[in-house]
Amino acid sequence: MTAQITTVSAYAAPSAKAPLERTTIPRRPVGEFDVLIDIKFAGICHSDIHQARDGWGEGIFPMVPGHEIAGIVTEVGPGVTKFAVGDRAGVGCMVDSCRECDNCKAGLEQYCAKGNVGTYNALDKNGEPTYGGYSTHIVVDENYTVGIPEGLALDEAAPLLCAGITTYSPLKHWNAGPGKKVAVLGMGGLGHMGVKIAHALGAEVTVLSQSLRKREDGLKLGADHYYTTSDPKTFEELAGTFDIILSTVSAPLDFGAFLSLLKTDGALVNVGAPEEPISLNLFSVIAGRKSLSGSGIGGIQETQEMLDFCAEHGLGAEIELIEASQINEAYERVLASDVRYRFVIDTATI
Ligand SMILES: [Zn+2]
Ligand SMILES: [Zn+2]
């Protein structure tokens, strides 16, 4: 076992707002509990664009985005027990956490009391910057790596590592299933997976979208109903209808109006967030004992459960496969909502 830092190819934003370009980055030596993954595909998440353009501030540059990673294990450390060379493996939004707090012990590493270590734009335990999936290889602790079951194509599996788990976790937590009415707000990268997963869980699924432009797709992916939020009649017709509304949008919303669509004890769960704080008349939740909630990705074990569920139900993401040289163009198209429904980079072109 050679304990040497290797240099690998990647696409990085050299500074905030600069276009991404081909470069090389260091990957740490494969440690006792590490796996080396030959990355095959990396999804483009909307949050990659926020961070590469420093929309949230304090970005670490150069930045290699990418937290929807699918590939093949090509080397394992001597202490690794869960993976072998040749295994199909995935990495999502985090690559480490404290492992000691109540949340980490409960399999809720995403809510680690000390903060989880992001797959990119973060510092690892040694203070070294983490670099994400727009790259040919990554070294990750086996405890933060998941197995991608046979039966899921690797390119369609990549987006499940963020978009899949981000929608699966709240749908499970709020008990989406037979007899439940679930609305998915927004038909983008997250929303289209929310529709597929809620349908596979057995819920009656309604898409609430700005327009009816993607109606045909929504119904094909498993929605039972499709409404536009730009028509005030939608809010009259659907008042008091849903057990769960899963909001995948980050645009400012009239939360009072959406809360009125919930049944008693219903929950409006946000996995997207507007940049500005919201103002809300609390009678929107008092009347009907409703909840306004949020949810962030999912734990490692739950991510594995989600992948197994998706494999069992044949749920890959709907993707547009691109070459690395198209990343900047893809970013513009994501910002224009011009993608059905996730761009995935073929990392062989990096
Ligand atoms: Zn993401
Ligand atoms: Zn922790």
Side-chain angles (χ1 to χ4, degrees):
M1 195 82 34
T2 49
Q4 276 185 340
I5 288 179
T6 47
T7 300
V8 304
S9 295
Y11 259 70
S15 60
K17 299 182 176 65
L20 275 74
E21 56 187 43
R22 181 180 278 123
T23 185
T24 56
I25 51 162
R27 291 296 190 191
R28 69 170 185 250
V30 176
E32 187 173 5
F33 301 105
D34 285 339
V35 296
L36 170 65
I37 299 170
D38 181 354
I39 300 173
K40 298 297 184 190
F41 300 101
I44 294 180
C45 175
H46 204 136
S47 63
D48 295 349
I49 303 171
H50 274 291
Q51 294 182 76
R53 297 189 173 177
D54 214 17
W56 295 336
E58 297 181 10
I60 301 166
F61 293 92
M63 186 187 300
V64 178
H67 58 208
E68 296 183 335
I69 300 170
I72 305 288
V73 174
T74 54
E75 189 179 330
V76 298
V80 168
T81 59
K82 298 173 188 159
F83 293 90
V85 169
D87 284 354
R88 296 148 53 92
V91 179
C93 301
M94 59 186 162
V95 289
D96 209 346
S97 66
C98 86
R99 310 178 192 210
E100 290 167 352
C101 72
D102 289 347
N103 282 342
C104 281
K105 285 183 184 160
L108 297 167
E109 300 91 347
Q110 76 274 33
Y111 305 131
C112 174
K114 293 183 182 156
N116 67 62
V117 177
T119 301
Y120 67 87
N121 194 22
L123 297 176
D124 69 16
K125 280 175 181 166
N126 300 318
E128 298 294 332
T130 58
Y131 297 114
Y134 298 6
S135 173
T136 55
H137 300 79
I138 189 168
V139 178
V140 183
D141 186 295
E142 67 165 337
N143 291 308
Y144 295 81
T145 305
V146 287
I148 297 177
E150 296 293 335
L152 279 177
L154 280 184
D155 53 356
E156 294 177 1
L160 301 180
L161 276 305
C162 174
I165 187 59
T166 299
T167 49
Y168 179 86
S169 182
L171 287 168
K172 287 288 284 188
H173 183 78
W174 275 275
N175 300 312
K180 292 292 176 73
K181 292 188 176 178
V182 173
V184 176
L185 181 49
M187 254 295 279
L190 290 170
H192 95 286
M193 282 314 305
V195 169
K196 285 188 179 207
I197 291 169
H199 174 69
L201 286 167
E204 183 177 332
V205 183
T206 300
V207 175
L208 302 174
S209 183
Q210 274 183 309
S211 75
L212 297 176
R213 209 160 45 95
K214 297 173 182 168
R215 181 171 180 277
E216 218 168 285
D217 286 356
L219 298 178
K220 203 174 66 193
L221 300 184
D224 300 284
H225 317 282
Y226 205 106
Y227 287 86
T228 170
T229 53
S230 56
D231 184 350
K233 278 199 222 113
T234 294
F235 290 88
E236 287 169 33
E237 199 177 323
L238 298 178
T241 297
F242 301 109
D243 298 284
I244 305 159
I245 299 174
L246 181 65
S247 172
T248 67
V249 305
S250 44
L253 285 182
D254 179 348
F255 283 93
F258 285 97
L259 286 163
S260 76
L261 303 184
L262 290 174
K263 285 179 187 168
T264 298
D265 287 329
L268 168 51
V269 185
N270 294 275
V271 295
E275 283 177 15
E276 296 300 317
I278 64 161
S279 155
L280 181 70
N281 183 329
L282 281 181
F283 282 106
S284 311
V285 289
I286 290 170
R289 198 165 56 188
K290 297 169 182 175
S291 306
L292 178 61
S293 308
S295 178
I297 51 175
I300 297 298
Q301 197 186 324
E302 190 176 40
T303 303
Q304 186 64 63
E305 179 190 306
M306 176 275 305
L307 288 170
D308 295 344
F309 177 86
C310 287
E312 189 186 322
H313 293 271
L315 308 181
E318 303 295 309
I319 64 164
E320 288 189 43
L321 197 60
I322 62 166
E323 296 190 357
S325 60
Q326 297 172 284
I327 291 172
N328 293 302
E329 183 193 328
Y331 273 21
E332 294 306 322
R333 287 186 52 198
V334 171
L335 293 174
S337 297
D338 176 25
V339 51
R340 296 196 181 190
Y341 282 86
R342 206 55 144 184
F343 285 116
V344 171
I345 305 160
D346 177 353
T347 58
T349 61
I350 291 176

